[in-house]
Amino acid sequence: MRTPLSSPFSPGSDTVPSVWAGRTKQLSDWHDVIRPRRLAGIPERGRTILGEAGLGKSTLVRRIAADAVQAGDWVTPQLRIPSGTDPLKRVATALLDLSQAAGLPLKRDRQLGELLGKVQQLSVAGVSMATREARDRPDAYSVLTELLIELGRAARRHGDTMVLIHVDEMQNISSPDVLSQMLIAFGDALVHEELESVPGGRQVAVALPIAVYLTGLPEFADMAGARQGATFARRFQTTILTPIGDEDFSAALQPFVTKGWPILTPQGTEARIFLEPDAQRYIVELSQGEPFLFQLAGQQAWFAGVDTVITRDDVRAGWGEARVEALSHVERILERLPESERAFLRAMAELEPDQRTATSIAQRLGYASATPIGPSAQRLDTKRGIIIRGKPYDFRHRAVGAYLTSDWPDLE
Ligand SMILES: Nc1ncnc2c1ncn2[C@@H]1O[C@H](COP(=O)(O)OP(=O)(O)OP(=O)(O)O)[C@@H](O)[C@H]1O
Ligand SMILES: [Mg+2]
C-alpha cells in the first residue's frame, strides 16, 4: 500500500516538507509582524536566521516564501550562494527577473530603463565590476538599492503586495567588501522612506513593502558584525534557530495517528496511512529535536513496510537503515567547529550531567581556572545555540549531546 513514491517525508530535499513541525514563532513573525507592518508603511528590520547545519533555516524561509507567493507577493527564488561564486550576479539577476515578473514599465520609463541597464551590467560582470569601478564609482551596489526601491514602489502601488528577498548560505560570501556592500544595499532599501500625501494635505513618511531574509551558518554573524557592527544590528534582527520541541514533532505526526495520512495508490484511489502511537513516540525520541533526523526517521519507517499502519517495529527497522546517515549528520556539525570548541564539548560530555560547571570543564581540559574556556563557552551558547550555560551547563542541541555521550538512540 505505502510505496517510496507516496512518502510525505523529505530528508534533505529542497522542498517545503509536507510533514511540517513547529517554528510557529518565526512563521508568525512573518505573518503577524513583518508583512502587515511593512504593508502599512511602518519600518521593520530585515531578518537574519542562523543556526547549525540541518536545523531548518533554508526550509523555514522557503516556507515563508511559499506562503508569500500564495498571498500574491513578489518573491525571489531562494538565492543560494555556493562558495566561490559571485553573489552580486545572483542577486542582480534575481532582481531583474522580479522586475520583469512585476511588470515594471521599463520601456516607457527612461530613467528606469537606464537603471535596469546598470543592474544588467552588474548581473553580467558581478564583483569584478564592483571592484573595478570601486575607485571612481563607489556606488556600484547602489543600483541594487535603487532597483529594490523601484520594486517596492511598484508593489506599494499594486497594493497589498510585498517584495521578498531570500539569500541563503550567507557564510559563503568570502569577500568582506562584497558582503558589506550587499548588506548596505539591502539595508538602505529597508530603511528607505517615501513621502506620501494623506488627506488634509499633509505628507507622511512611509517605508516600502520590502522584506529581506538572510540565512546561513552562525559564522555569518561574526563576518557581518566585524565589518558592519552596529549598522548591521540596527538593520537586521538575528535569530539563532534552536532544535524543534518534542511536542511540535508529536503534533506534526498526530494526523497520521488520528485520521491517517492520505496518499494516492498506484491505482489512483485514495488510501490512508496510520501511525501507531508507540511509533509516533519513537520517531519523536529518535529525532532528538533535529528536523533532519525527524524526516529521516519518518522516511525510513515508511520504507520499512508496505501496510497501512506504520508500527514501532517499522520505526526501529528504519532507524537501523538510517544509522550511518544519522550519525554523520551530527559528525558534520562537530567537524565544522574550531578544535577549541570541539574539545570543550567533549570535556563537557565526559562529565556527569550534574557536574558540568565551567570550573570542572576547564579542569578536564587542564586549566586551573574557568577563564580560558570562557570564550568557547560563550560562543557555543549565544552564537551557536549548542549549549546552555545554566547551573549546571547542558546541551541545547540534544543530538550533539547524545552523540558525545552514550545517550545516542541506538536500537533497543
Ligand atoms: N519545520 C520543519 N518541520 C519538518 N521538517 C523540517 C522543518 N524544517 C526543516 N525540516 C527538514 O529538515 C531538513 C534540514 O532542513 P534545511 O536544509 O532547511 O536545514 P538548514 O538549516 O538549511 O541546513 P544547512 O545549514 O545544511 O543548509 C530538511 O530535510 C527539511 O525537510
Ligand atoms: Mg540550508
Side-chain angles (χ1 to χ4, degrees):
M1 185 61 68
R2 55 186 212 263
T3 66
L5 207 62
S6 55
S7 164
F9 294 98
S10 54
S13 73
D14 279 354
T15 52
V16 178
S18 316
V19 191
W20 179 271
R23 300 294 183 226
T24 42
K25 230 173 99 185
Q26 289 81 9
L27 293 174
S28 147
D29 180 48
W30 163 253
H31 289 286
D32 305 326
V33 180
I34 303 177
R35 193 171 187 278
R37 279 175 63 91
R38 281 265 165 197
L39 285 177
I42 305 167
E44 185 57 40
R45 287 181 288 175
R47 294 293 191 268
T48 309
I49 298 189
L50 307 178
E52 293 303 316
L55 272 182
K57 309 172 289 288
S58 311
T59 304
L60 170 63
V61 182
R62 209 178 285 129
R63 161 84 191 260
I64 289 170
D67 291 355
V69 167
Q70 278 287 314
D73 293 341
W74 300 341
V75 182
T76 64
Q78 175 187 352
L79 305 172
R80 188 179 276 153
I81 310 292
S83 65
T85 57
D86 190 329
L88 199 51
K89 286 189 191 180
R90 197 94 174 76
V91 173
T93 309
L95 290 187
L96 287 173
D97 291 347
L98 211 55
S99 326
Q100 198 156 44
L104 287 197
L106 313 176
K107 297 264 155 51
R108 279 171 283 129
D109 188 323
R110 199 174 56 85
Q111 256 180 334
L112 204 53
E114 274 170 21
L115 173 61
L116 260 291
K118 284 189 208 160
V119 179
Q120 221 132 33
Q121 278 176 3
L122 205 57
S123 76
V124 175
V127 172
S128 69
M129 168 172 158
T131 44
R132 180 158 35 84
E133 299 208 343
R135 263 160 270 122
D136 30 291
R137 222 170 56 88
D139 62 342
Y141 285 74
S142 67
V143 297
L144 285 186
T145 308
E146 281 176 47
L147 182 54
L148 249 177
I149 289 173
E150 287 300 341
L151 278 162
R153 282 183 183 134
R156 188 158 172 90
R157 279 196 302 272
H158 195 258
D160 218 16
T161 308
M162 289 287 293
V163 176
L164 177 62
I165 316 275
H166 174 199
V167 187
D168 196 13
E169 311 279 7
M170 286 296 289
Q171 77 280 354
N172 285 338
I173 304 182
S174 49
S175 153
D177 277 329
V178 172
L179 177 61
S180 92
Q181 294 279 354
M182 191 143 123
L183 293 177
I184 290 169
F186 288 146
D188 284 355
L190 286 172
V191 298
H192 176 85
E193 289 187 324
E194 307 245 299
L195 285 178
E196 266 181 24
S197 307
V198 291
R202 279 183 310 118
Q203 289 211 310
V204 293
V206 294
L208 293 170
I210 302 170
V212 177
Y213 276 93
L214 309 176
T215 47
L217 294 172
E219 282 74 8
F220 171 66
D222 299 332
M223 299 161 66
R227 285 288 286 212
Q228 293 257 289
T231 316
F232 174 67
R234 270 201 311 275
R235 293 172 164 195
F236 287 88
Q237 178 189 312
T238 299
T239 305
I240 309 280
L241 278 194
T242 51
I244 291 181
D246 283 355
E247 336 66 62
D248 288 331
F249 280 145
S250 196
L253 294 173
Q254 195 60 21
F256 287 84
V257 177
T258 50
K259 299 175 293 189
W261 189 272
I263 59 161
L264 224 50
T265 66
Q267 291 74 39
T269 54
E270 197 194 270
R272 280 177 185 266
I273 303 300
F274 288 84
L275 193 60
E276 284 181 346
D278 248 6
Q280 175 190 30
R281 274 191 289 277
Y282 199 11
I283 292 179
V284 172
E285 183 193 322
L286 295 173
S287 307
Q288 306 167 84
E290 290 291 285
F292 174 73
L293 296 183
F294 174 73
Q295 296 290 340
L296 187 63
Q299 171 94 300
Q300 293 299 335
W302 186 284
F303 288 0
V306 293
D307 336 338
T308 48
V309 181
I310 300 175
T311 63
R312 189 176 170 88
D313 274 348
D314 288 340
V315 178
R316 196 170 54 85
W319 190 246
E321 292 295 315
R323 189 167 193 280
V324 174
E325 210 183 339
L327 284 170
S328 63
H329 166 67
V330 182
E331 278 156 11
R332 264 199 309 276
I333 295 172
L334 287 170
E335 275 163 16
R336 271 196 342 98
L337 300 179
E339 180 48 39
S340 56
E341 291 175 32
R342 210 164 33 229
F344 179 102
L345 292 175
R346 268 198 229 102
M348 178 171 151
E350 280 161 15
L351 293 162
E352 290 301 320
D354 59 348
Q355 301 295 313
R356 291 171 183 160
T357 60
T359 322
S360 309
I361 296 168
Q363 259 168 13
R364 260 204 118 72
L365 290 168
Y367 297 111
S369 84
T371 319
I373 61 162
S376 287
Q378 190 190 354
R379 289 186 60 80
L380 285 165
D381 181 349
T382 55
K383 289 264 149 102
R384 302 193 188 278
I386 293 182
I387 66 166
I388 307 171
R389 285 173 302 167
K391 282 187 176 144
Y393 286 11
D394 198 3
F395 286 100
R396 184 184 279 126
H397 198 296
R398 283 152 54 203
V400 164
Y403 179 88
L404 292 172
T405 60
S406 49
D407 295 340
W408 186 262
D410 256 320
L411 305 177
E412 314 144 328

